[in-house]
Amino acid sequence: MDIAIVGATGNVGRKILEVLEKKELSFDNLHLVASSKSAGKKIIFKGKEYEISNLENFDFSKVKIAFFSAGGKISEKFAEKVAKSCLVIDNSSYYRMDPDVPLIVPQVNSEALRNIKKNIVSNPNCSTAQLVIALKPLHDLFIIKRIVVSTYQSVSGGGKAPMDELIDQTKLVLNKQKIKSKNFTKQIAFNVIPHIDVFSDNGYTKEELKMTNETKKILDSKIDLTATCVRIPVSVSHSESANIEFEKSFTLDEVRKALDSFEGCKVIDERTDGGYSTPIEAEGKDETFISRIREDKTIKNGLNLWIVSDNLLRGAALNAVEIAETLINNNFYGK
């Protein structure tokens, strides 16, 4: 049972290593793979030094599961080739809406893993992953009709360079120096930007459409969802304000109980100063935190939630490793 991490030197790749160490997933050998510019570098895992292999010439026939976390272009070029030798768990957006590739959040739709056709399993967008974990137990009980979600997404969703730019811009602002944005369309320090990914013809950004389409694929195609995705000057953890309309009536006690008893969720909802979760508290935690639970009296069967989760962990690395765990526990090890 050998595994490989493609993109091992990136934010998500390194986070996958942290999750593997913490969860102690059973495997024989670990192979760290990256581009030629990273080949030969060393990474320490569980006290042992591993050398980065070059993706261009790595032999995946000795691997059972390969985690891809190097971006859509790399997945487009290599994933299907690699999938001829082993099972690929892809963290990019490239295969998410492919009808022959299951899009998985194990707590929500693990049964879809029974229908793997291309030997590829896709990991959803980080903002989608935390949303559907909060929605699943409520949808099972009350049936969701419509969702209006606004996201407040950290800069780590764009990678290491945007994280570094936030720090650099913050220093420049405090020192009253001129700022030139490189990874953002506008200044991100002390600002918010209502624009993540490219615009489509209908005015929505690709990030917003991802949330709509992926939620439908993972949870229920009948759900209507509209999203506004915003980048905020926070390093790690995404936050979401969700307004939900159900078909059935509910009580707040039923909602809290359903959420708090669902795997991956944790309710922090005290109506006092600080009785809610923020990005800082969520960073480094496995759970998706739900706060500000309250009825929306402007519509029938309406509910408001505040949802916070570590996007690098819950939305990417942890979800990918949990997909692998689910496959292994069901005695599936790829071709």
Side-chain angles (χ1 to χ4, degrees):
M1 180 63 193
D2 285 16
I3 66 172
I5 301 174
V6 178
T9 57
N11 275 354
V12 176
R14 289 180 179 274
K15 190 63 70 172
I16 288 174
L17 285 171
E18 289 180 25
V19 174
L20 288 174
E21 186 159 12
K22 180 180 177 182
K23 293 180 80 67
E24 297 185 349
L25 183 73
S26 179
F27 57 88
D28 295 312
N29 295 296
L30 173 67
H31 305 274
L32 305 183
V33 185
S35 65
S36 56
K37 67 179 181 180
S38 296
K41 291 181 179 178
K42 306 289 198 319
I43 288 180
I44 303 296
F45 176 73
K46 288 188 174 182
K48 181 180 176 182
E49 188 176 77
Y50 290 81
E51 184 173 319
I52 304 293
S53 299
N54 189 342
L55 173 60
E56 295 283 349
N57 53 29
F58 182 75
D59 179 12
F60 283 92
S61 65
K62 56 190 174 185
V63 172
K64 291 296 183 184
I65 295 177
F67 295 97
F68 265 63
S69 58
K73 291 182 179 178
I74 294 297
S75 293
E76 179 182 7
K77 184 177 180 181
F78 291 98
E80 290 190 47
K81 296 177 184 176
V82 172
K84 294 177 181 177
S85 301
C86 66
L87 183 121
V88 171
I89 298 175
D90 184 34
N91 270 301
S92 81
S93 63
Y94 187 74
Y95 287 100
R96 287 176 188 159
M97 298 314 298
D98 187 322
D100 292 329
V101 175
L103 181 63
I104 300 295
V105 175
Q107 295 88 339
V108 178
N109 66 332
S110 60
E111 70 281 353
L113 289 171
R114 297 175 182 148
N115 191 31
I116 300 175
K117 296 178 180 178
K118 290 186 175 180
N119 220 27
I120 298 172
V121 177
S122 192
N123 207 47
N125 191 29
C126 46
S127 53
T128 303
Q130 70 185 67
L131 179 66
V132 296
I133 281 181
L135 295 180
K136 170 64 173 173
L138 302 180
H139 184 56
D140 286 348
L141 290 173
F142 313 117
I143 308 176
I144 296 170
K145 292 172 61 178
R146 181 173 184 264
I147 307 162
V148 180
V149 59
S150 297
T151 72
Y152 307 81
Q153 296 179 223
S154 65
V155 293
S156 60
K160 186 177 184 302
M163 295 177 74
D164 292 340
E165 183 168 347
L166 172 60
I167 294 170
D168 293 341
Q169 282 193 10
T170 301
K171 293 175 182 176
L172 291 171
V173 170
L174 293 174
N175 288 314
K176 295 180 169 53
Q177 293 178 273
K178 187 176 180 181
I179 286 176
K180 184 177 180 181
S181 294
K182 298 176 184 177
N183 297 283
F184 303 98
T185 56
K186 296 199 175 191
Q187 175 183 315
I188 186 60
F190 302 96
N191 198 17
V192 296
I193 304 172
H195 176 193
I196 300 176
D197 215 321
V198 298
F199 280 99
S200 63
D201 291 339
N202 63 7
Y204 285 86
T205 65
K206 190 175 177 182
E207 184 81 1
E208 291 159 353
L209 296 176
K210 284 178 191 173
M211 289 198 74
T212 299
N213 296 330
E214 291 175 18
T215 299
K216 285 175 171 286
K217 183 174 179 179
I218 295 168
L219 194 57
D220 190 334
S221 61
K222 298 185 187 72
I223 292 174
D224 288 325
L225 185 149
T226 184
T228 299
C229 293
V230 182
R231 190 73 77 192
I232 63 172
V234 166
S235 292
V236 177
S237 298
H238 290 351
S239 304
E240 298 170 349
S241 173
N243 177 264
I244 309 164
E245 181 183 359
F246 298 104
E247 289 188 8
K248 298 180 180 181
S249 61
F250 62 87
T251 67
L252 292 182
D253 284 343
E254 288 174 325
V255 168
R256 291 191 185 97
K257 184 178 179 180
L259 289 169
D260 218 15
S261 61
F262 190 71
E263 182 186 356
C265 285
K266 184 170 184 179
V267 172
I268 298 180
D269 184 42
E270 300 173 11
R271 295 176 180 180
T272 59
D273 293 350
Y276 40 78
S277 186
T278 66
I280 288 175
E281 288 94 42
E283 185 175 353
K285 307 289 195 337
D286 290 353
E287 299 93 342
T288 293
F289 296 92
I290 298 110
S291 307
R292 301 298 318 281
I293 302 170
R294 60 209 189 277
E295 288 185 62
D296 175 5
K297 296 292 190 179
T298 67
I299 56 172
K300 186 179 180 181
N301 303 327
L303 181 73
N304 286 307
L305 301 176
W306 175 251
I307 304 163
V308 185
S309 194
D310 184 322
N311 56 297
L312 296 179
L313 187 58
R314 171 71 274 161
L318 178 61
N319 197 73
V321 173
E322 287 180 344
I323 290 172
E325 283 184 321
T326 304
L327 292 166
I328 291 167
N329 290 340
N330 287 278
N331 298 314
F332 184 90
Y333 297 93
K335 288 181 180 178

